[in-house]
Structure formats: structure tokens, C-alpha cells
Amino acid sequence: MTDILVNSLVMAGVAACILIPVFIVKKINRKKKQALIQSKLDEIALSQQVKFIRTETIGNLLLAYSESNKLLLLNSADFTHEIITLENVVNVQEYIDYNGKEVKNILVRLSLNGGKNKDIQLYKQYDSSERELSKAKKLAAELTSLLSTSN
């Protein structure tokens, strides 16, 4: 009986020695990435002379809405960004495509002046996490109502 107890304690100690540093490194990396994203967001806000009042993230996409009716789309994987002036938006629509019973895509389509469309993909089956599905549905509805009222 004592051998089992001793072996269990040794295994718990070994597991703790391995897992604790992994959790610490992941937490440090998460904080570094958040700081990098915040600095990039501040840099864009300074260069565009806007103040972002609302930000949302889903997957690698960060959406930021400014007081001056501009929408920032920032890809946090490669830090490419696009700014959309909402005065140019004519119509906002939410699209949910189904693959049988499963959701295939969730996107918000912005119809711009001149007949152009800008699609903001919030969820894509097999690329996005299943945990993001409910958040993507909620965010699509919020974006649609927010951008519809801002015009």
C-alpha cells in the first residue's frame, strides 16, 4: 500500500515539475501577444487620428469601432489591417451559411458606395473553433445592428 502511495506522490511531483513551467510560459506568451496587439492598435489609432471605443476579438480577427465612424479590421496573426469608413456603407447584412445542419460560414457583408461589397468573415467551418460559433453568431448580430444604426 505504501509503495502505491509513494509512486503516486512521485508521479504527481514529476507531473507538477513538467506542467507548471508550461502553464507559466503560456501565460507569459499570452501577455506578450496581448501587449503587442495593444501597441499595434495604439499605433493605428495614432496614425489614423481616431479613438477606438469598442473592440471585439474572434479568432485572429480584432474588430475595433471608433467614435469617428470607422471600423478597424486587424488580423492578429500577421498584423495586417484595414480601416473601413462607415459613411461609405450603404447596407449591412448578416449571412449564415449551412452545410446540412451544421453552420458553414458566418459573415457580415457591408455594401459600400459604388456597388462594392466587403465581407467580414467571423466563422468558417473547419478553420474556426467550435467554441467560437456562438460568439460569432452573437457578434454578427451586434455588428449588424451597430453598423445599421451608425449610418
Side-chain angles (χ1 to χ4, degrees):
M1 183 69 167
T2 59
D3 290 339
I4 294 173
L5 184 61
V6 169
N7 288 341
S8 298
L9 288 173
V10 168
M11 288 304 295
V14 169
C17 289
I18 293 171
L19 293 177
I20 291 174
V22 169
F23 287 125
I24 291 171
V25 168
K26 284 184 80 171
K27 188 174 182 177
I28 290 170
N29 286 341
R30 188 178 316 122
K31 283 184 179 183
K32 283 182 183 177
K33 186 170 183 177
Q34 286 175 346
L36 188 61
I37 289 171
Q38 186 61 46
S39 70
K40 185 68 174 175
L41 190 61
D42 293 340
E43 176 186 318
I44 293 169
L46 187 63
S47 69
Q48 295 292 320
Q49 298 174 347
V50 294
K51 180 182 178 188
F52 295 113
I53 55 174
R54 182 175 177 181
T55 59
E56 292 284 338
T57 57
I58 185 160
N60 284 335
L61 180 66
L62 181 129
L63 299 152
Y65 181 74
S66 74
E67 294 173 334
S68 57
N69 275 346
K70 291 185 179 182
L71 182 68
L72 168 71
L73 306 174
L74 175 68
N75 184 340
S76 61
D78 58 2
F79 295 106
T80 56
H81 69 278
E82 179 180 359
I83 294 182
I84 300 169
T85 306
L86 297 178
E87 283 89 22
N88 297 335
V89 175
V90 177
N91 190 14
V92 181
Q93 293 177 323
E94 171 186 356
Y95 287 101
I96 300 177
D97 295 330
Y98 289 94
N99 184 11
K101 291 183 178 181
E102 296 178 351
V103 176
K104 183 178 178 182
N105 288 318
I106 298 177
L107 59 95
V108 174
R109 177 167 291 159
L110 307 176
S111 300
L112 305 172
N113 290 339
K116 295 181 181 178
N117 290 328
K118 174 63 184 167
D119 291 337
I120 302 171
Q121 183 124 23
L122 301 176
Y123 177 84
K124 185 172 183 180
Q125 189 178 26
Y126 306 122
D127 287 344
S128 301
S129 165
E130 285 291 323
R131 291 177 282 167
E132 295 174 355
L133 180 59
S134 61
K135 184 176 180 180
K137 285 181 180 180
K138 182 181 174 186
L139 185 58
E142 288 176 4
L143 267 176
T144 304
S145 66
L146 176 71
L147 299 180
S148 295
T149 57
S150 69
N151 291 339

